[in-house]
Coordinates of all heavy atoms in Angstrom, one line a residue:
M1 N 276.7 48.7 126.9 CA 277.8 49.0 127.9 C 279.2 48.9 127.2 O 280.0 49.6 127.6 CB 277.7 48.0 129.0 CG 278.3 48.5 130.3 SD 277.4 49.9 131.0 CE 278.7 50.7 132.0
S2 N 279.3 48.1 126.3 CA 280.6 47.8 125.7 C 281.2 49.0 125.1 O 282.4 49.3 125.1 CB 280.5 46.7 124.7 OG 279.6 47.0 123.7
L3 N 280.3 49.9 124.4 CA 280.8 51.1 123.8 C 280.7 52.3 124.7 O 280.7 53.4 124.3 CB 280.1 51.3 122.5 CG 280.5 50.6 121.2 CD1 279.5 50.7 120.2 CD2 281.9 51.1 120.7
G4 N 280.5 52.1 125.9 CA 280.3 53.1 126.9 C 281.4 54.1 127.0 O 281.6 55.0 126.3
I5 N 282.2 53.9 128.1 CA 283.2 54.8 128.5 C 284.6 54.4 128.0 O 284.9 53.2 128.2 CB 283.1 55.1 130.0 CG1 281.8 55.9 130.3 CG2 284.3 55.8 130.5 CD1 281.4 55.9 131.7
K6 N 285.3 55.3 127.5 CA 286.6 55.0 127.0 C 287.7 55.9 127.6 O 287.3 56.9 128.2 CB 286.7 55.2 125.5 CG 286.0 54.2 124.7 CD 286.1 54.4 123.2 CE 285.4 53.5 122.3 NZ 285.4 53.9 121.0
K7 N 288.9 55.5 127.5 CA 290.0 56.3 127.9 C 290.0 57.7 127.3 O 289.5 57.9 126.2 CB 291.3 55.6 127.4 CG 292.6 56.2 127.8 CD 293.7 55.3 127.4 CE 295.1 55.9 127.8 NZ 295.6 57.0 126.9
D8 N 290.3 58.7 128.1 CA 290.3 60.1 127.8 C 288.9 60.7 127.7 O 288.8 61.9 127.3 CB 291.1 60.4 126.5 CG 292.6 60.2 126.8 OD1 293.1 60.5 127.9 OD2 293.3 59.8 125.8
D9 N 287.9 60.0 128.0 CA 286.6 60.6 128.0 C 286.4 61.5 129.3 O 287.1 61.3 130.3 CB 285.5 59.5 128.2 CG 285.1 58.9 126.9 OD1 285.5 59.4 125.8 OD2 284.5 57.8 126.9
Q10 N 285.6 62.5 129.1 CA 285.2 63.3 130.4 C 284.0 62.6 131.0 O 283.1 62.3 130.3 CB 284.9 64.7 129.9 CG 286.0 65.6 129.5 CD 287.0 66.0 130.7 OE1 286.5 66.2 131.8 NE2 288.2 66.0 130.3
V11 N 284.0 62.4 132.2 CA 282.9 61.7 132.9 C 282.5 62.5 134.1 O 283.2 63.3 134.7 CB 283.3 60.3 133.3 CG1 283.4 59.4 132.1 CG2 284.5 60.2 134.2
L12 N 281.2 62.3 134.5 CA 280.7 62.8 135.7 C 280.7 61.7 136.7 O 280.3 60.6 136.4 CB 279.3 63.3 135.5 CG 278.5 63.8 136.7 CD1 279.0 65.2 137.1 CD2 277.0 64.0 136.3
V13 N 281.1 62.0 137.9 CA 281.2 60.9 139.0 C 279.9 61.0 139.7 O 279.4 62.0 140.2 CB 282.4 61.2 140.0 CG1 282.4 60.1 141.0 CG2 283.7 61.3 139.2
L14 N 279.2 59.8 139.7 CA 277.8 59.7 140.3 C 277.8 59.4 141.8 O 276.7 59.6 142.4 CB 277.0 58.7 139.5 CG 276.9 58.9 138.0 CD1 276.0 57.9 137.4 CD2 276.1 60.3 137.8
S15 N 278.8 58.8 142.3 CA 278.8 58.5 143.7 C 280.1 58.5 144.4 O 281.1 58.6 143.7 CB 278.0 57.2 144.0 OG 278.9 56.1 143.6
G16 N 280.2 58.4 145.7 CA 281.4 58.4 146.3 C 281.9 59.8 146.7 O 281.2 60.8 146.6
K17 N 283.1 59.9 147.2 CA 283.7 61.1 147.7 C 283.7 62.2 146.7 O 283.6 63.4 146.9 CB 285.1 60.9 148.2 CG 285.3 60.8 149.7 CD 286.8 60.9 150.1 CE 287.7 60.0 149.4 NZ 289.0 59.9 149.9
N18 N 283.9 61.8 145.4 CA 284.1 62.8 144.4 C 282.8 63.0 143.6 O 282.8 63.5 142.4 CB 285.1 62.3 143.4 CG 286.5 62.2 144.0 OD1 286.8 61.0 144.5 ND2 287.2 63.3 144.2
K19 N 281.6 62.6 144.2 CA 280.3 62.8 143.5 C 280.2 64.2 143.0 O 280.4 65.2 143.6 CB 279.2 62.5 144.5 CG 277.9 62.5 144.0 CD 276.9 62.1 145.0 CE 275.5 62.1 144.5 NZ 274.5 61.8 145.5
G20 N 279.8 64.3 141.7 CA 279.5 65.5 141.0 C 280.7 66.1 140.3 O 280.6 67.1 139.6
D21 N 281.9 65.5 140.5 CA 283.0 66.0 139.8 C 283.1 65.5 138.3 O 282.6 64.5 138.0 CB 284.3 65.4 140.5 CG 284.6 66.1 141.8 OD1 283.8 67.0 142.2 OD2 285.6 65.7 142.5
R22 N 283.6 66.4 137.5 CA 283.9 66.1 136.1 C 285.4 65.8 136.0 O 286.2 66.6 136.2 CB 283.5 67.2 135.2 CG 282.0 67.5 135.3 CD 281.5 68.6 134.4 NE 280.1 68.6 134.4 CZ 279.3 69.0 133.4 NH1 279.9 69.3 132.2 NH2 278.1 69.0 133.5
R23 N 285.7 64.6 135.6 CA 287.0 64.1 135.5 C 287.4 63.4 134.2 O 286.4 63.1 133.5 CB 287.4 63.3 136.7 CG 287.3 63.9 138.0 CD 288.5 64.9 138.2 NE 288.2 65.8 139.3 CZ 288.4 65.6 140.5 NH1 288.8 64.5 141.0 NH2 288.2 66.6 141.4
R24 N 288.7 63.1 134.0 CA 289.1 62.4 132.7 C 289.4 61.0 133.1 O 290.0 60.7 134.1 CB 290.3 63.1 132.3 CG 290.8 62.6 130.9 CD 291.8 63.6 130.3 NE 293.1 63.6 131.2 CZ 294.1 62.8 130.9 NH1 294.1 62.0 129.9 NH2 295.2 62.9 131.7
V25 N 288.9 60.1 132.2 CA 289.2 58.7 132.4 C 290.7 58.4 131.9 O 291.1 58.8 130.8 CB 288.3 57.9 131.5 CG1 288.6 56.3 131.6 CG2 286.8 58.1 131.9
L26 N 291.4 57.7 132.8 CA 292.8 57.4 132.5 C 292.9 56.1 131.9 O 293.9 55.8 131.1 CB 293.7 57.6 133.8 CG 293.7 58.9 134.5 CD1 294.5 58.7 135.8 CD2 294.3 60.0 133.6
H27 N 292.1 55.2 132.3 CA 292.2 53.7 131.9 C 290.9 53.0 132.2 O 290.3 53.2 133.2 CB 293.3 53.2 132.8 CG 293.7 51.8 132.4 ND1 294.3 51.5 131.2 CD2 293.6 50.6 133.0 CE1 294.5 50.2 131.1 NE2 294.1 49.6 132.2
V28 N 290.5 52.2 131.2 CA 289.3 51.4 131.5 C 289.7 49.9 131.6 O 290.6 49.4 130.9 CB 288.3 51.5 130.3 CG1 287.1 50.6 130.5 CG2 287.8 53.0 130.2
I29 N 289.2 49.3 132.6 CA 289.4 47.8 132.8 C 288.2 47.0 132.4 O 287.3 46.9 133.2 CB 289.8 47.5 134.2 CG1 291.0 48.5 134.7 CG2 290.3 46.1 134.4 CD1 290.9 48.9 136.1
P30 N 288.1 46.5 131.1 CA 286.8 46.0 130.7 C 286.5 44.7 131.5 O 285.3 44.4 131.7 CB 287.1 45.6 129.2 CG 288.3 46.4 128.8 CD 289.1 46.6 130.1
S31 N 287.5 43.9 131.9 CA 287.2 42.6 132.5 C 286.4 42.8 133.8 O 285.6 42.0 134.3 CB 288.5 41.9 132.8 OG 289.3 42.7 133.6
T32 N 286.6 43.9 134.6 CA 286.0 44.2 135.8 C 284.9 45.3 135.7 O 284.3 45.6 136.7 CB 287.0 44.5 136.9 OG1 287.7 45.7 136.5 CG2 287.9 43.4 137.2
K33 N 284.8 45.8 134.5 CA 283.8 46.9 134.3 C 284.1 48.1 135.2 O 283.3 48.7 135.8 CB 282.4 46.5 134.4 CG 281.9 45.6 133.3 CD 280.4 45.5 133.3 CE 279.8 44.8 132.1 NZ 280.2 43.4 131.9
K34 N 285.4 48.3 135.3 CA 285.8 49.5 136.2 C 286.8 50.4 135.4 O 287.3 50.1 134.3 CB 286.6 49.0 137.4 CG 285.6 48.3 138.4 CD 286.3 47.9 139.6 CE 285.2 47.5 140.7 NZ 285.9 47.1 142.0
A35 N 287.0 51.6 136.0 CA 287.9 52.5 135.3 C 288.7 53.3 136.3 O 288.3 53.4 137.4 CB 287.1 53.5 134.5
I36 N 289.9 53.6 135.9 CA 290.7 54.6 136.7 C 290.4 56.0 136.2 O 290.5 56.3 135.0 CB 292.2 54.3 136.5 CG1 292.5 52.8 136.8 CG2 293.0 55.3 137.4 CD1 292.6 52.5 138.3
V37 N 289.9 56.8 137.1 CA 289.6 58.2 136.7 C 290.5 59.1 137.5 O 290.8 58.9 138.7 CB 288.1 58.5 137.1 CG1 287.7 59.9 136.6 CG2 287.2 57.4 136.4
E38 N 291.0 60.1 136.7 CA 291.9 61.1 137.3 C 291.4 61.6 138.7 O 290.4 62.3 138.8 CB 292.1 62.3 136.3 CG 293.3 63.0 136.5 CD 293.6 64.0 135.3 OE1 292.6 64.6 134.8 OE2 294.6 64.1 134.9
N39 N 292.2 61.5 139.7 CA 292.0 62.1 141.0 C 290.7 61.6 141.7 O 290.2 62.3 142.5 CB 292.0 63.6 141.0 CG 293.4 64.1 140.7 OD1 294.4 63.7 141.2 ND2 293.5 65.2 139.8
V40 N 290.2 60.5 141.2 CA 289.0 59.9 141.9 C 289.3 58.6 142.6 O 290.1 57.8 142.1 CB 287.9 59.7 140.8 CG1 286.7 58.9 141.4 CG2 287.4 61.1 140.2
N41 N 288.7 58.5 143.8 CA 288.9 57.3 144.5 C 290.4 57.0 145.0 O 290.9 56.0 144.8 CB 288.4 56.1 143.7 CG 287.6 55.1 144.5 OD1 287.3 55.3 145.6 ND2 287.3 53.9 143.9
F42 N 290.9 58.1 145.4 CA 292.3 58.0 145.9 C 292.4 57.1 147.1 O 291.7 57.3 148.1 CB 292.9 59.4 146.2 CG 293.9 59.9 145.2 CD1 293.5 60.3 144.0 CD2 295.2 59.8 145.5 CE1 294.4 60.7 143.1 CE2 296.2 60.2 144.6 CZ 295.8 60.6 143.4
V43 N 293.3 56.3 147.1 CA 293.6 55.4 148.3 C 295.1 55.5 148.7 O 296.0 55.7 147.8 CB 293.2 54.0 148.2 CG1 291.7 53.8 148.1 CG2 293.8 53.3 146.9
V44 N 295.4 55.5 149.9 CA 296.7 55.4 150.4 C 297.1 54.0 150.6 O 296.5 53.3 151.4 CB 296.9 56.3 151.7 CG1 298.4 56.3 152.1 CG2 296.4 57.7 151.4
Q45 N 298.1 53.6 150.0 CA 298.7 52.2 150.1 C 300.0 52.3 150.9 O 300.8 53.1 150.6 CB 298.9 51.6 148.8 CG 297.6 51.3 148.0 CD 297.9 50.6 146.7 OE1 298.9 50.7 146.2 NE2 296.9 49.9 146.3
H46 N 300.1 51.5 151.9 CA 301.3 51.4 152.7 C 302.1 50.3 152.1 O 301.7 49.1 152.2 CB 301.0 51.2 154.2 CG 300.3 52.4 154.7 ND1 301.0 53.5 155.3 CD2 299.1 52.7 154.9 CE1 300.2 54.4 155.7 NE2 298.9 53.9 155.5
K47 N 303.2 50.7 151.5 CA 304.0 49.6 150.9 C 305.1 49.2 151.9 O 305.8 50.0 152.5 CB 304.7 50.2 149.7 CG 304.4 49.5 148.4 CD 304.9 50.2 147.2 CE 306.4 50.0 146.9 NZ 306.8 50.7 145.7
K48 N 305.2 47.9 152.0 CA 306.3 47.3 152.8 C 307.4 46.8 151.9 O 307.2 46.2 150.9 CB 305.8 46.2 153.7 CG 305.0 46.6 154.9 CD 304.5 45.6 155.7 CE 303.6 46.0 156.8 NZ 302.7 44.9 157.2
S49 N 308.6 47.1 152.3 CA 309.7 46.6 151.5 C 310.8 46.2 152.3 O 311.2 46.8 153.4 CB 310.2 47.7 150.5 OG 311.3 47.3 149.8
R50 N 311.5 45.1 152.0 CA 312.7 44.6 152.8 C 314.0 45.1 152.1 O 315.0 44.9 152.6 CB 312.7 43.1 152.8 CG 311.5 42.6 153.7 CD 311.8 41.2 154.2 NE 310.7 40.7 154.9 CZ 309.8 39.8 154.4 NH1 309.8 39.4 153.2 NH2 308.7 39.4 155.2
D51 N 313.8 45.8 151.0 CA 315.0 46.3 150.3 C 315.4 47.7 150.8 O 314.7 48.6 150.7 CB 314.6 46.4 148.8 CG 315.8 46.8 147.9 OD1 316.9 47.2 148.5 OD2 315.7 46.7 146.7
P52 N 316.6 47.8 151.4 CA 316.9 49.1 152.0 C 317.1 50.2 151.0 O 317.0 51.3 151.4 CB 318.3 48.8 152.8 CG 318.7 47.5 152.2 CD 317.5 46.7 151.6
R53 N 317.4 49.8 149.8 CA 317.6 50.9 148.8 C 316.2 51.4 148.3 O 316.2 52.5 147.7 CB 318.3 50.3 147.5 CG 319.8 50.0 147.8 CD 320.3 49.1 146.8 NE 319.6 47.9 146.7 CZ 319.7 46.9 145.8 NH1 320.6 47.0 144.8 NH2 319.0 45.8 145.9
N54 N 315.2 50.7 148.6 CA 313.9 51.1 148.2 C 312.9 50.9 149.4 O 312.2 49.9 149.5 CB 313.5 50.2 147.0 CG 312.1 50.6 146.4 OD1 311.6 51.8 146.7 ND2 311.5 49.7 145.7
P55 N 312.9 51.8 150.3 CA 312.2 51.7 151.6 C 310.7 51.7 151.5 O 310.0 51.4 152.5 CB 312.7 52.8 152.4 CG 313.1 53.8 151.5 CD 313.5 53.2 150.2
G56 N 310.0 51.9 150.3 CA 308.6 51.8 150.3 C 308.0 53.0 151.0 O 308.5 54.1 150.8
G57 N 307.0 52.8 151.7 CA 306.3 54.0 152.3 C 304.9 54.2 151.8 O 304.3 53.4 151.2
R58 N 304.4 55.4 152.0 CA 303.1 55.7 151.6 C 303.0 56.0 150.1 O 303.8 56.6 149.5 CB 302.5 57.0 152.3 CG 302.0 56.8 153.6 CD 302.0 58.1 154.4 NE 301.2 59.1 153.7 CZ 300.0 59.4 154.0 NH1 299.4 58.8 155.1 NH2 299.2 60.3 153.3
M59 N 302.0 55.4 149.5 CA 301.8 55.6 148.1 C 300.4 56.0 147.8 O 299.4 55.2 148.2 CB 302.1 54.3 147.3 CG 303.1 54.5 146.2 SD 303.4 53.0 145.4 CE 301.8 52.6 144.7
E60 N 300.1 57.1 147.2 CA 298.7 57.4 146.9 C 298.5 57.2 145.4 O 299.3 57.5 144.6 CB 298.5 58.9 147.2 CG 298.4 59.2 148.7 CD 298.0 60.6 149.0 OE1 297.3 61.2 148.2 OE2 298.3 61.1 150.2
R61 N 297.4 56.6 145.2 CA 297.1 56.3 143.8 C 295.5 56.1 143.6 O 294.9 55.9 144.6 CB 297.8 55.0 143.2 CG 297.6 53.8 144.2 CD 298.0 52.6 143.4 NE 297.1 52.5 142.2 CZ 297.2 51.5 141.3 NH1 298.2 50.6 141.4 NH2 296.4 51.4 140.3
E62 N 295.1 56.3 142.4 CA 293.7 56.1 142.2 C 293.4 54.6 142.2 O 294.2 53.8 141.7 CB 293.3 56.6 140.7 CG 293.3 58.2 140.6 CD 294.6 58.6 140.0 OE1 295.6 57.9 139.9 OE2 294.6 59.9 139.6
S63 N 292.2 54.3 142.7 CA 291.9 52.9 142.7 C 290.6 52.8 141.7 O 289.9 53.8 141.6 CB 291.5 52.3 144.0 OG 290.4 52.9 144.5
P64 N 290.4 51.7 141.0 CA 289.4 51.6 140.1 C 288.0 51.8 140.6 O 287.7 51.5 141.8 CB 289.4 50.2 139.6 CG 290.8 49.7 140.0 CD 291.2 50.4 141.2
I65 N 287.2 52.5 139.8 CA 285.8 52.8 140.3 C 284.9 52.2 139.2 O 285.2 52.1 138.0 CB 285.6 54.4 140.3 CG1 284.1 54.7 140.7 CG2 285.9 55.1 139.1 CD1 283.9 56.1 141.1
S66 N 283.7 51.7 139.6 CA 282.9 51.0 138.8 C 282.3 51.9 137.7 O 281.9 53.0 138.0 CB 281.7 50.4 139.6 OG 280.8 49.7 138.8
L67 N 282.2 51.3 136.5 CA 281.8 52.2 135.4 C 280.3 52.6 135.6 O 279.9 53.7 135.0 CB 281.9 51.3 134.1 CG 283.2 51.1 133.4 CD1 283.1 50.2 132.3 CD2 283.8 52.5 133.0
C68 N 279.5 51.9 136.3 CA 278.2 52.3 136.5 C 278.1 53.5 137.4 O 277.0 54.1 137.6 CB 277.3 51.2 137.0 SG 277.8 50.5 138.6
K69 N 279.1 53.9 138.1 CA 279.2 55.1 138.9 C 279.6 56.3 138.1 O 279.9 57.4 138.7 CB 280.0 54.8 140.1 CG 279.5 53.9 141.1 CD 280.3 53.7 142.2 CE 279.7 52.7 143.2 NZ 280.7 52.2 144.2
L70 N 279.9 56.1 136.8 CA 280.3 57.2 135.9 C 279.4 57.4 134.8 O 278.7 56.5 134.4 CB 281.7 56.8 135.3 CG 282.8 56.5 136.3 CD1 284.0 55.9 135.5 CD2 283.2 57.7 137.1
M71 N 279.3 58.7 134.4 CA 278.4 59.0 133.3 C 279.2 59.8 132.3 O 279.9 60.8 132.7 CB 277.2 59.7 133.8 CG 276.1 59.7 132.8 SD 274.5 60.3 133.5 CE 273.4 59.2 132.6
L72 N 279.2 59.5 131.1 CA 279.8 60.2 130.1 C 279.4 61.6 129.9 O 278.1 61.9 129.9 CB 279.8 59.4 128.7 CG 280.6 60.0 127.6 CD1 282.1 59.7 127.9 CD2 280.2 59.3 126.3
I73 N 280.3 62.6 129.7 CA 279.9 63.9 129.4 C 280.1 64.2 128.0 O 281.2 63.9 127.4 CB 280.6 64.9 130.3 CG1 280.3 64.8 131.7 CG2 280.4 66.4 129.8 CD1 281.2 65.5 132.7
C74 N 279.1 64.6 127.3 CA 279.2 64.9 125.8 C 280.0 66.1 125.6 O 279.8 67.1 126.3 CB 277.7 65.1 125.3 SG 277.6 65.7 123.7
G75 N 280.9 66.1 124.7 CA 281.8 67.2 124.4 C 281.1 68.3 123.6 O 281.5 69.4 123.6
K76 N 279.9 67.9 122.9 CA 279.2 68.9 122.2 C 278.3 69.7 123.1 O 278.3 70.9 123.1 CB 278.3 68.2 121.1 CG 279.0 68.0 119.8 CD 278.6 69.2 118.9 CE 279.6 69.3 117.7 NZ 279.7 68.1 117.0
C77 N 277.4 69.1 123.8 CA 276.4 69.8 124.6 C 276.8 69.9 126.1 O 276.2 70.7 126.8 CB 275.0 69.2 124.5 SG 274.9 67.5 125.2
G78 N 277.9 69.3 126.4 CA 278.4 69.4 127.8 C 277.6 68.8 128.9 O 277.9 69.1 130.1
S79 N 276.6 68.0 128.5 CA 275.8 67.5 129.7 C 276.1 66.0 129.8 O 276.5 65.3 128.9 CB 274.3 67.6 129.4 OG 274.0 67.9 128.1
P80 N 275.9 65.5 131.0 CA 276.1 64.1 131.3 C 275.0 63.3 130.4 O 273.9 63.7 130.5 CB 275.8 63.9 132.8 CG 275.8 65.3 133.3 CD 275.6 66.2 132.2
T81 N 275.4 62.3 129.8 CA 274.5 61.6 128.9 C 274.6 60.1 128.9 O 275.7 59.6 129.2 CB 274.6 62.1 127.5 OG1 273.6 61.5 126.7 CG2 276.0 61.9 127.0
R82 N 273.6 59.4 128.5 CA 273.7 58.0 128.2 C 274.4 58.0 126.8 O 274.2 58.8 126.0 CB 272.4 57.3 128.2 CG 271.9 57.2 129.5 CD 270.6 56.4 129.6 NE 270.2 56.1 130.9 CZ 270.7 55.1 131.7 NH1 271.6 54.3 131.2 NH2 270.4 55.0 133.0
V83 N 275.0 56.8 126.5 CA 275.7 56.7 125.2 C 274.8 55.9 124.3 O 274.3 54.8 124.7 CB 277.0 56.0 125.4 CG1 277.7 55.9 124.1 CG2 277.9 56.8 126.4
G84 N 274.6 56.4 123.1 CA 273.9 55.6 122.1 C 274.9 55.2 121.0 O 276.0 55.6 121.1
T85 N 274.5 54.4 120.2 CA 275.4 54.0 119.1 C 274.7 54.2 117.8 O 273.5 54.1 117.6 CB 275.9 52.5 119.1 OG1 274.7 51.7 119.2 CG2 276.7 52.3 120.3
K86 N 275.5 54.5 116.8 CA 275.0 54.7 115.4 C 275.9 53.9 114.5 O 277.1 53.9 114.7 CB 275.0 56.2 115.2 CG 274.3 56.6 113.9 CD 274.2 58.2 113.8 CE 275.6 58.7 113.2 NZ 275.5 60.1 112.9
K87 N 275.3 53.4 113.4 CA 276.0 52.7 112.5 C 276.3 53.6 111.3 O 275.4 54.2 110.7 CB 275.3 51.4 112.0 CG 276.2 50.2 111.9 CD 275.5 49.0 111.6 CE 276.4 47.8 111.5 NZ 275.7 46.6 111.2
L88 N 277.5 53.7 110.9 CA 277.9 54.6 109.7 C 277.6 53.8 108.5 O 277.6 52.5 108.5 CB 279.3 55.0 109.9 CG 279.7 55.9 111.1 CD1 281.2 56.2 111.0 CD2 278.9 57.2 111.0
P89 N 277.5 54.4 107.3 CA 277.3 53.8 106.1 C 278.4 52.7 105.8 O 278.1 51.7 105.2 CB 277.4 54.9 105.1 CG 277.0 56.1 105.8 CD 277.5 55.9 107.2
D90 N 279.6 52.9 106.3 CA 280.7 52.0 106.1 C 280.6 50.8 107.0 O 281.5 50.0 107.1 CB 282.0 52.6 106.0 CG 282.4 53.2 107.4 OD1 281.7 53.0 108.3 OD2 283.5 53.8 107.4
G91 N 279.6 50.8 107.9 CA 279.6 49.7 108.9 C 280.1 49.9 110.2 O 280.0 49.2 111.2
A92 N 280.9 51.0 110.3 CA 281.6 51.2 111.6 C 280.6 51.8 112.6 O 279.5 52.4 112.2 CB 282.7 52.3 111.4
K93 N 280.8 51.5 113.9 CA 279.9 52.0 114.8 C 280.5 53.2 115.6 O 281.7 53.2 115.9 CB 279.6 50.9 115.9 CG 278.5 50.0 115.6 CD 278.2 49.1 116.7 CE 277.1 48.1 116.4 NZ 277.0 47.0 117.4
V94 N 279.7 54.2 115.8 CA 280.2 55.4 116.6 C 279.3 55.6 117.8 O 278.1 55.2 117.8 CB 280.2 56.7 115.7 CG1 281.3 56.6 114.7 CG2 278.8 56.9 115.1
R95 N 279.8 56.2 118.7 CA 279.0 56.6 120.0 C 278.3 57.9 119.7 O 278.9 58.8 119.2 CB 279.9 56.6 121.2 CG 280.6 55.3 121.5 CD 281.5 55.4 122.7 NE 282.4 56.5 122.6 CZ 283.1 57.0 123.6 NH1 282.9 56.5 124.8 NH2 284.0 58.0 123.5
I96 N 277.1 57.9 120.1 CA 276.5 59.3 120.0 C 275.9 59.6 121.4 O 275.5 58.8 122.2 CB 275.2 59.3 118.9 CG1 274.3 58.1 119.3 CG2 275.8 59.1 117.5 CD1 272.9 58.4 118.5
C97 N 275.7 60.9 121.5 CA 275.0 61.5 122.7 C 273.6 61.4 122.6 O 273.0 61.7 121.6 CB 275.5 63.0 122.8 SG 274.5 63.9 124.0
K98 N 272.9 60.8 123.5 CA 271.5 60.5 123.4 C 270.7 61.8 123.6 O 269.6 61.9 123.2 CB 271.0 59.6 124.5 CG 271.4 58.1 124.1 CD 270.4 57.2 124.5 CE 270.7 55.8 123.9 NZ 269.9 54.7 124.5
K99 N 271.4 62.9 124.0 CA 270.7 64.2 124.2 C 270.7 65.0 122.9 O 269.7 65.5 122.4 CB 271.3 65.0 125.3 CG 270.9 64.3 126.6 CD 271.2 65.3 127.9 CE 270.5 64.7 129.1 NZ 271.3 65.0 130.3
C100 N 271.9 65.2 122.4 CA 272.0 66.1 121.2 C 272.3 65.3 119.9 O 272.4 65.9 118.9 CB 273.1 67.2 121.4 SG 274.8 66.6 121.5
K101 N 272.6 64.0 120.0 CA 272.7 63.1 118.9 C 274.1 63.3 118.2 O 274.4 62.9 117.1 CB 271.6 63.3 117.8 CG 270.2 63.1 118.4 CD 269.9 61.7 118.8 CE 268.5 61.7 119.3 NZ 268.4 60.5 120.3
A102 N 275.0 64.1 118.9 CA 276.3 64.3 118.3 C 277.2 63.1 118.5 O 276.9 62.4 119.4 CB 277.0 65.6 118.9
E103 N 278.0 62.9 117.6 CA 279.0 61.8 117.7 C 279.9 62.2 118.8 O 280.4 63.3 118.9 CB 279.8 61.5 116.4 CG 278.9 60.9 115.4 CD 279.7 60.8 114.0 OE1 280.9 60.8 114.0 OE2 279.0 60.7 113.0
I104 N 280.3 61.2 119.6 CA 281.2 61.4 120.7 C 282.6 60.9 120.3 O 282.7 59.8 119.9 CB 280.7 60.7 122.0 CG1 279.4 61.4 122.4 CG2 281.8 60.9 123.1 CD1 278.7 60.7 123.6
Ligands
ZN1 ZN1 275.4 66.0 123.5

């Protein structure tokens, strides 16, 4: 899971209103195993403010979605895939697509 989904990955949304959509990851929050995904899980927040110069109002923004509801899309074969890891000769780890074995 740790090497799963990263910022700027293309992912498939597996559940919720946006199920089936292919979107880009904007931000990953490792502590909660959630991610902010572009245009997914939009919520409207009503902001209250006592400051007359900044009256608040409706604010729409993405709320975090659980990483287990997302699946990485491989850039090589274009299919949703589980992420594997491969160790390079220099010891670095890379993510690979379990379907086509390409590095992601
Ligand atoms: Zn692939």
